[in-house]
Amino acid sequence: MQFRQLLQRSLPGIATALITGALHQLGFFQSIEQIAYNTLFRLRGAIPWDERVVLVGVDDKTLQQLGQYPLPRRHYATLLQKLTQAEPNVVVFDLVFSEPSSFAEDRQLAEAIAQHGSVVLAQAWKQDGQLWQSIAPLRQAAVATGHIAKLEDADGITRKIEPQRQGTPALSIAAIQVYSLVHHAVALPDLQDRLWLNWVGQMRQASHYSFVDVVQGRVPAIALRGKIVMVGSTATGIDPLPTPFDRTPPASGNYLHANAINNLLQTNFLHPAPDSWFLLIFLIGGPGLSLMLMQCPVKHQLILWLGLCLSWLLLSGIMLRTNYWLPTGLPLALFSLTTVAILTLERLQLELENRTLQHLATSDTLTKIANRHHFDQYLDYEWHRSARTQSSLALILCDVDFFKRFNDHYGHQAGDNCLMLVAAAIKGAVKRPADLVARYGGEEFVVILPDTDVKGAVEVAERIRAQVKALAISHAQSTVAQTVSLSLGVVSTIPHSQGAAATLIATADQALYRAKAEGRDRSVVASW
């Protein structure tokens, strides 16, 4: 029995867990997860940037002094000459030199790449799937190439990178592989799965130099020695990259792999929660929460729901600081859906109980029709309504002929069955929803007929009498018929506000008395 009760209490949570799981598979909570991701990163704040990573940006200042974008390749050759003087370092171009320039400049840049010896070039894919890479002389001079494909989510933010695509490593992976040859080896993560970026902070917090300052010798060589130098565009409007920290304005595209390189050096890529955590979430937020909520009053249910949501957000924030990513939108949705399901279920149960109590309070226990209390209330209401609208109100008072003799002869059980059948027959003869059939007391029944004149009331009375006769309940002690019959008193009037509903009952009772006096098994209309 105890197990059965536990199962019943956990059923709402099991149902919400199944529904939430299905919605999760359909990607229903993706936008919530994205909002939670951005919010938690901003709440966590920036983490220290690895000093081995330096950004050299083709910024607005550079374009103002050296010309429009893309810059002539001789400037990149000059940059490499400066960086060669600051060796050892690794130079990573987050730029694709896909179109040939002048023969002299292409040759000059290729020679500079070869002379440096630790240059990594980028490649990408166009929207039609065509490979987009630097021209052959530059690729042949470079020590490695890496792809810069973005995996943007629906909100425009890149949260993961592909370690490899079509046999080519990501630009950040290629940079670390070359850096491991020049300096000490850096351990790489599993390159079979996508890597979750752990955003460091705003781009401006990274070590950053203007391209033109480096080219013109305003940056000392010592500042670039032993570094991984990311070279890319940071000018306004070129290759924007929204991040949780840089939305308006966004960061620039070369910050993506600079951040990934930082994660590789610090070994702090995010680790998403394993599948076992999802099972735990569903167990806690579904049947577990359902069991707890079913034992609490509404106020405590809301407090428990709020506390659980805040606790999960706090746990997610703590786990983010330790480089683990917990799903956020799914658990919050599951907690909320389970709580709403419990509150709704309890509300429905309460309404059902109230309706049951109301029905018990207004219906006769034996016959299941309205009781005397309900009749009195409804008659008073209809009396005043009819008085306001000046419409007719009819009343039929019914009495089972010689019922005491029936009870004495057949027994009380048969008498109760007889009253139930008669009540059902009367109710079946009354058609309109506004009409009310009630047990007036003992073997007496009463019918209220709003908006009904005398003629209509008589028709209903005769229909009632015929329905009861059709039951053909044997009545050996009756002196008017061999089966159970009814005597009926009928009255109809247009009430007035100064009158009382009790006069209608009294008049119908007089008509019923006349029906009995005239031989029973008939309906008599009262004169008003």
Side-chain angles (χ1 to χ4, degrees):
M1 186 65 180
Q2 187 176 5
F3 173 77
R4 185 177 180 182
Q5 289 178 343
L6 290 175
L7 181 61
Q8 289 177 341
R9 290 179 177 179
S10 62
L11 279 177
I14 295 173
T16 55
L18 293 174
I19 293 171
T20 307
L23 293 176
H24 173 66
Q25 290 297 319
L26 296 173
F28 190 80
F29 305 115
Q30 184 177 5
S31 60
I32 303 176
E33 291 288 355
Q34 292 167 356
I35 293 172
Y37 179 95
N38 298 340
T39 303
L40 287 174
F41 265 102
R42 289 194 293 270
L43 289 174
R44 184 208 66 182
I47 57 178
W49 189 269
D50 195 295
E51 60 182 14
R52 291 170 287 181
V53 183
V54 173
L55 276 70
V56 173
V58 181
D59 53 10
D60 294 331
K61 176 182 176 181
T62 299
L63 297 182
Q64 289 173 2
Q65 297 187 29
L66 300 182
Q68 294 183 347
Y69 189 83
L71 295 175
R73 290 183 183 166
R74 65 179 182 275
H75 293 309
Y76 295 108
T78 303
L79 173 71
L80 284 173
Q81 292 169 4
K82 296 291 184 181
L83 293 174
T84 301
Q85 298 170 10
E87 286 185 337
N89 55 49
V90 175
V91 182
V92 184
F93 279 101
D94 195 354
L95 301 165
V96 181
F97 302 104
S98 58
E99 298 295 332
S101 182
S102 68
F103 175 78
E105 289 203 358
D106 285 344
R107 181 178 178 181
Q108 181 184 5
L109 180 56
E111 290 176 350
I113 292 173
Q115 182 180 3
H116 186 281
S118 298
V119 176
V120 182
L121 296 181
Q123 70 177 45
W125 285 267
K126 297 180 180 179
Q127 291 183 348
D128 59 3
Q130 183 179 353
L131 182 62
W132 185 39
Q133 57 184 348
S134 298
I135 59 176
L138 303 184
R139 294 200 314 273
Q140 293 166 3
V143 68
T145 59
H147 76 79
I148 53 174
K150 290 183 182 178
L151 297 173
E152 292 184 349
D153 288 330
D155 60 350
I157 291 181
T158 301
R159 294 177 170 84
K160 290 170 278 190
I161 63 168
E162 288 183 286
Q164 299 185 70
R165 177 180 280 196
Q166 298 184 16
T168 301
L171 187 63
S172 51
I173 299 292
I176 290 297
Q177 289 173 334
V178 174
Y179 182 81
S180 296
L181 298 175
V182 176
H183 297 276
H184 63 277
V186 176
L188 293 176
D190 183 5
L191 302 183
Q192 301 303 314
D193 297 323
R194 292 176 175 178
L195 301 175
W196 284 62
L197 291 167
N198 189 355
W199 290 102
V200 179
Q202 291 183 322
M203 186 178 73
R204 60 181 176 83
Q205 295 171 326
S207 297
H208 196 130
Y209 299 105
S210 175
F211 183 97
V212 68
D213 288 340
V214 178
V215 168
Q216 295 179 359
R218 289 192 289 270
V219 178
I222 191 65
L224 303 171
R225 186 168 294 132
K227 311 293 185 182
I228 299 175
V229 182
M230 289 288 301
V231 182
S233 174
T234 58
T236 304
I238 300 177
D239 192 19
L241 177 75
T243 77
F245 297 101
D246 298 277
R247 296 296 299 268
T248 309
S252 58
N254 67 333
Y255 183 59
L256 172 64
H257 284 281
N259 193 100
I261 290 172
N262 191 88
N263 291 163
L264 288 164
L265 292 173
Q266 299 291 330
T267 62
N268 64 352
F269 273 106
L270 288 184
H271 304 286
D275 293 340
S276 58
W277 272 82
F278 284 89
L279 178 60
L280 179 64
I281 290 169
F282 285 122
L283 290 175
I284 293 175
L289 182 57
S290 180
L291 285 171
M292 290 186 288
L293 292 176
M294 293 285 275
Q295 302 179 49
C296 302
V298 173
K299 181 180 179 180
H300 292 170
Q301 288 175 346
L302 295 175
I303 293 174
L304 181 60
W305 163 75
L306 181 60
L308 192 56
C309 289
L310 292 177
S311 298
W312 189 266
L313 287 173
L314 179 61
L315 177 62
S316 299
I318 293 172
M319 296 299 288
L320 181 60
R321 286 184 174 273
T322 60
N323 307 324
Y324 282 88
W325 173 251
L326 295 182
T328 306
L330 170 66
L332 295 183
L334 178 58
F335 301 157
S336 301
L337 188 60
T338 301
T339 304
V340 169
I342 295 298
L343 291 173
T344 303
L345 181 62
E346 291 185 347
R347 179 67 179 270
L348 292 175
Q349 289 177 337
L350 181 61
E351 289 184 0
L352 180 61
E353 290 173 359
N354 288 336
R355 288 182 181 181
T356 302
L357 291 174
Q358 184 179 12
H359 177 72
L360 292 174
T362 58
S363 64
D364 179 64
T365 306
L366 177 64
T367 60
K368 308 305 179 187
I369 59 175
N371 59 17
R372 177 67 178 271
H373 176 67
H374 189 192
F375 163 75
D376 290 338
Q377 289 183 323
Y378 193 68
L379 178 61
D380 185 67
Y381 167 80
E382 286 297 335
W383 178 273
H384 289 93
R385 187 194 66 82
S386 299
R388 288 195 308 272
T389 60
Q390 285 298 285
S391 56
S392 298
L393 178 63
L395 192 74
I396 303 174
L397 200 56
C398 316
D399 185 81
V400 179
D401 293 329
F402 301 113
F403 182 73
K404 186 177 183 306
R405 296 180 184 179
F406 182 96
N407 229 12
D408 292 342
H409 182 72
Y410 294 102
H412 291 288
Q413 183 63 51
D416 289 346
N417 291 335
C418 174
L419 291 177
M420 288 189 287
L421 291 172
V422 169
I426 296 173
K427 192 171 180 63
V430 177
K431 306 296 184 181
R432 300 178 306 176
D435 299 338
L436 179 73
V437 177
R439 187 178 181 188
Y440 193 66
E443 70 274 17
E444 287 188 319
F445 300 90
V446 64
V447 182
I448 300 175
L449 302 171
D451 301 309
T452 305
D453 57 15
V454 172
K455 181 180 179 182
V458 170
E459 290 178 359
V460 174
E462 287 302 310
R463 190 162 61 240
I464 290 172
R465 195 166 69 87
Q467 291 272 40
V468 172
K469 293 281 283 187
L471 295 174
I473 303 172
S474 297
H475 193 347
Q477 300 301 310
S478 175
T479 59
V480 296
Q482 295 180 348
T483 58
V484 170
S485 60
L486 291 182
S487 297
L488 305 95
V490 182
V491 62
S492 179
T493 187
I494 298 177
H496 52 84
S497 56
Q498 287 78 22
T503 58
L504 194 66
I505 302 173
T507 306
D509 191 51
Q510 292 174 4
L512 176 61
Y513 180 80
R514 284 175 49 201
K516 292 180 179 180
E518 293 176 7
R520 302 178 188 265
D521 191 15
R522 68 193 64 207
S523 58
V524 171
V525 179
S527 56
W528 188 266

